[in-house]
Short mmCIF file of all heavy atoms in Angstrom, two decimals:
data_model
loop_
_atom_site.label_atom_id
_atom_site.label_comp_id
_atom_site.label_asym_id
_atom_site.label_seq_id
_atom_site.Cartn_x
_atom_site.Cartn_y
_atom_site.Cartn_z
N MET A 26 0.13 -10.48 3.33
CA MET A 26 0.08 -9.37 4.28
C MET A 26 0.97 -9.64 5.46
O MET A 26 1.63 -8.74 6.00
CB MET A 26 -1.36 -9.09 4.69
CG MET A 26 -2.24 -8.60 3.57
SD MET A 26 -3.95 -8.27 4.09
CE MET A 26 -3.71 -6.78 5.08
N ASP A 27 1.00 -10.89 5.89
CA ASP A 27 1.83 -11.26 7.05
C ASP A 27 3.31 -11.06 6.80
O ASP A 27 4.07 -10.61 7.64
CB ASP A 27 1.56 -12.72 7.42
CG ASP A 27 2.47 -13.21 8.52
OD1 ASP A 27 2.27 -12.78 9.69
OD2 ASP A 27 3.39 -14.01 8.24
N ARG A 28 3.77 -11.39 5.52
CA ARG A 28 5.17 -11.20 5.20
C ARG A 28 5.54 -9.71 5.22
O ARG A 28 6.65 -9.38 5.58
CB ARG A 28 5.46 -11.83 3.82
CG ARG A 28 5.54 -13.34 3.83
CD ARG A 28 6.18 -13.86 2.57
NE ARG A 28 5.37 -13.67 1.40
CZ ARG A 28 4.39 -14.45 1.03
NH1 ARG A 28 4.07 -15.51 1.77
NH2 ARG A 28 3.70 -14.24 -0.06
N LEU A 29 4.58 -8.83 4.86
CA LEU A 29 4.85 -7.42 4.97
C LEU A 29 5.09 -7.00 6.42
O LEU A 29 5.90 -6.21 6.74
CB LEU A 29 3.68 -6.61 4.36
CG LEU A 29 3.70 -6.31 2.89
CD1 LEU A 29 2.50 -5.49 2.52
CD2 LEU A 29 4.98 -5.58 2.48
N VAL A 30 4.26 -7.55 7.28
CA VAL A 30 4.33 -7.26 8.76
C VAL A 30 5.71 -7.59 9.27
O VAL A 30 6.31 -6.89 10.07
CB VAL A 30 3.25 -7.99 9.52
CG1 VAL A 30 3.49 -7.89 11.03
CG2 VAL A 30 1.88 -7.43 9.18
N ARG A 31 6.31 -8.68 8.75
CA ARG A 31 7.63 -9.08 9.23
C ARG A 31 8.71 -8.06 8.82
O ARG A 31 9.76 -7.99 9.41
CB ARG A 31 8.03 -10.45 8.66
CG ARG A 31 7.27 -11.61 9.30
CD ARG A 31 7.80 -12.95 8.87
NE ARG A 31 7.31 -13.29 7.54
CZ ARG A 31 8.06 -13.76 6.56
NH1 ARG A 31 9.38 -13.89 6.76
NH2 ARG A 31 7.57 -14.05 5.37
N PHE A 32 8.40 -7.21 7.78
CA PHE A 32 9.29 -6.15 7.42
C PHE A 32 8.85 -4.83 8.01
O PHE A 32 9.23 -3.76 7.54
CB PHE A 32 9.37 -6.03 5.90
CG PHE A 32 10.19 -7.14 5.25
CD1 PHE A 32 9.62 -8.24 4.67
CD2 PHE A 32 11.58 -7.04 5.27
CE1 PHE A 32 10.38 -9.24 4.07
CE2 PHE A 32 12.37 -8.04 4.71
CZ PHE A 32 11.76 -9.15 4.12
N ASN A 33 7.95 -4.89 9.06
CA ASN A 33 7.48 -3.69 9.69
C ASN A 33 6.70 -2.74 8.76
O ASN A 33 6.82 -1.55 8.84
CB ASN A 33 8.60 -2.91 10.35
CG ASN A 33 8.81 -3.36 11.81
OD1 ASN A 33 8.18 -4.23 12.30
ND2 ASN A 33 9.68 -2.66 12.52
N VAL A 34 5.95 -3.35 7.85
CA VAL A 34 5.08 -2.58 6.94
C VAL A 34 3.68 -3.12 7.16
O VAL A 34 3.43 -4.29 7.08
CB VAL A 34 5.49 -2.76 5.48
CG1 VAL A 34 4.52 -2.00 4.57
CG2 VAL A 34 6.89 -2.22 5.26
N LEU A 35 2.75 -2.17 7.39
CA LEU A 35 1.37 -2.57 7.56
C LEU A 35 0.58 -2.24 6.26
O LEU A 35 0.60 -1.08 5.82
CB LEU A 35 0.71 -1.79 8.73
CG LEU A 35 1.27 -2.14 10.12
CD1 LEU A 35 0.56 -1.27 11.15
CD2 LEU A 35 1.05 -3.59 10.44
N ALA A 36 -0.04 -3.22 5.69
CA ALA A 36 -0.84 -3.02 4.48
C ALA A 36 -2.27 -2.92 4.88
O ALA A 36 -2.80 -3.72 5.64
CB ALA A 36 -0.64 -4.19 3.50
N MET A 37 -2.99 -1.85 4.43
CA MET A 37 -4.37 -1.69 4.77
C MET A 37 -5.30 -2.59 3.95
O MET A 37 -6.48 -2.77 4.29
CB MET A 37 -4.77 -0.21 4.50
CG MET A 37 -3.88 0.79 5.19
SD MET A 37 -3.79 0.53 6.98
CE MET A 37 -2.58 1.78 7.46
N SER A 38 -4.78 -3.20 2.90
CA SER A 38 -5.62 -4.11 2.10
C SER A 38 -4.70 -5.06 1.32
O SER A 38 -3.57 -4.72 1.00
CB SER A 38 -6.50 -3.32 1.10
OG SER A 38 -5.69 -2.74 0.09
N GLY A 39 -5.28 -6.24 0.99
CA GLY A 39 -4.55 -7.17 0.15
C GLY A 39 -4.36 -6.66 -1.27
O GLY A 39 -3.40 -7.03 -1.93
N ARG A 40 -5.30 -5.79 -1.69
CA ARG A 40 -5.18 -5.19 -3.00
C ARG A 40 -3.88 -4.40 -3.17
O ARG A 40 -3.22 -4.49 -4.21
CB ARG A 40 -6.34 -4.23 -3.23
CG ARG A 40 -6.40 -3.57 -4.61
CD ARG A 40 -7.45 -2.45 -4.60
NE ARG A 40 -8.79 -2.98 -4.35
CZ ARG A 40 -9.66 -3.28 -5.31
NH1 ARG A 40 -9.30 -3.12 -6.56
NH2 ARG A 40 -10.83 -3.72 -5.00
N ALA A 41 -3.44 -3.72 -2.10
CA ALA A 41 -2.20 -2.92 -2.17
C ALA A 41 -1.01 -3.86 -2.29
O ALA A 41 -0.09 -3.55 -3.02
CB ALA A 41 -2.09 -2.08 -0.91
N VAL A 42 -1.04 -4.99 -1.59
CA VAL A 42 0.10 -5.94 -1.65
C VAL A 42 0.20 -6.52 -3.07
O VAL A 42 1.29 -6.59 -3.61
CB VAL A 42 -0.10 -7.10 -0.65
CG1 VAL A 42 1.10 -8.05 -0.64
CG2 VAL A 42 -0.31 -6.56 0.74
N GLU A 43 -0.96 -6.82 -3.63
CA GLU A 43 -0.99 -7.38 -4.98
C GLU A 43 -0.50 -6.37 -6.02
O GLU A 43 0.30 -6.72 -6.88
CB GLU A 43 -2.41 -7.82 -5.32
CG GLU A 43 -2.52 -8.77 -6.44
CD GLU A 43 -3.93 -9.35 -6.54
OE1 GLU A 43 -4.78 -8.64 -7.13
OE2 GLU A 43 -4.16 -10.41 -6.01
N ALA A 44 -0.96 -5.13 -5.87
CA ALA A 44 -0.54 -4.07 -6.81
C ALA A 44 0.98 -3.83 -6.73
O ALA A 44 1.61 -3.50 -7.74
CB ALA A 44 -1.28 -2.78 -6.54
N ALA A 45 1.53 -4.03 -5.54
CA ALA A 45 2.98 -3.78 -5.37
C ALA A 45 3.80 -4.72 -6.24
O ALA A 45 4.92 -4.36 -6.66
CB ALA A 45 3.39 -3.97 -3.91
N GLY A 46 3.25 -5.89 -6.55
CA GLY A 46 3.97 -6.83 -7.36
C GLY A 46 4.11 -6.38 -8.81
O GLY A 46 4.91 -6.93 -9.56
N ASP A 47 3.29 -5.40 -9.24
CA ASP A 47 3.32 -4.99 -10.64
C ASP A 47 3.72 -3.49 -10.78
O ASP A 47 3.49 -2.88 -11.82
CB ASP A 47 1.93 -5.17 -11.28
CG ASP A 47 1.60 -6.63 -11.50
OD1 ASP A 47 2.55 -7.38 -11.79
OD2 ASP A 47 0.44 -7.02 -11.31
N VAL A 48 4.31 -2.89 -9.76
CA VAL A 48 4.69 -1.47 -9.79
C VAL A 48 5.70 -1.17 -10.89
O VAL A 48 6.68 -1.93 -11.05
CB VAL A 48 5.23 -1.01 -8.44
CG1 VAL A 48 5.98 0.29 -8.52
CG2 VAL A 48 4.10 -0.88 -7.42
N ASP A 49 5.45 -0.08 -11.65
CA ASP A 49 6.38 0.32 -12.70
C ASP A 49 7.15 1.59 -12.32
O ASP A 49 8.31 1.76 -12.72
CB ASP A 49 5.56 0.65 -14.00
CG ASP A 49 4.79 -0.53 -14.46
OD1 ASP A 49 5.39 -1.51 -14.86
OD2 ASP A 49 3.54 -0.47 -14.45
N THR A 50 6.49 2.48 -11.55
CA THR A 50 7.07 3.77 -11.24
C THR A 50 7.00 4.03 -9.76
O THR A 50 5.95 3.79 -9.16
CB THR A 50 6.37 4.90 -12.01
OG1 THR A 50 6.42 4.64 -13.39
CG2 THR A 50 7.08 6.26 -11.79
N LEU A 51 8.06 4.56 -9.16
CA LEU A 51 8.01 4.92 -7.74
C LEU A 51 8.35 6.40 -7.59
O LEU A 51 9.36 6.90 -8.09
CB LEU A 51 9.10 4.12 -6.97
CG LEU A 51 9.43 4.58 -5.55
CD1 LEU A 51 8.18 4.47 -4.70
CD2 LEU A 51 10.54 3.74 -4.95
N LEU A 52 7.41 7.13 -7.01
CA LEU A 52 7.60 8.57 -6.72
C LEU A 52 7.97 8.69 -5.23
O LEU A 52 7.29 8.13 -4.37
CB LEU A 52 6.33 9.34 -7.00
CG LEU A 52 5.66 9.16 -8.38
CD1 LEU A 52 4.44 10.05 -8.52
CD2 LEU A 52 6.65 9.43 -9.48
N LEU A 53 9.02 9.45 -4.96
CA LEU A 53 9.49 9.63 -3.58
C LEU A 53 9.61 11.07 -3.22
O LEU A 53 10.26 11.87 -3.94
CB LEU A 53 10.85 8.94 -3.38
CG LEU A 53 10.96 7.52 -3.73
CD1 LEU A 53 11.75 7.34 -5.00
CD2 LEU A 53 11.65 6.71 -2.63
#
């Protein structure tokens, strides 16, 4: 979570950081 903060991104949970490592699809 701290490494995300260094990129000016706030994660509301560690679960979200972990899920980001396995993302398959990005909707924008």
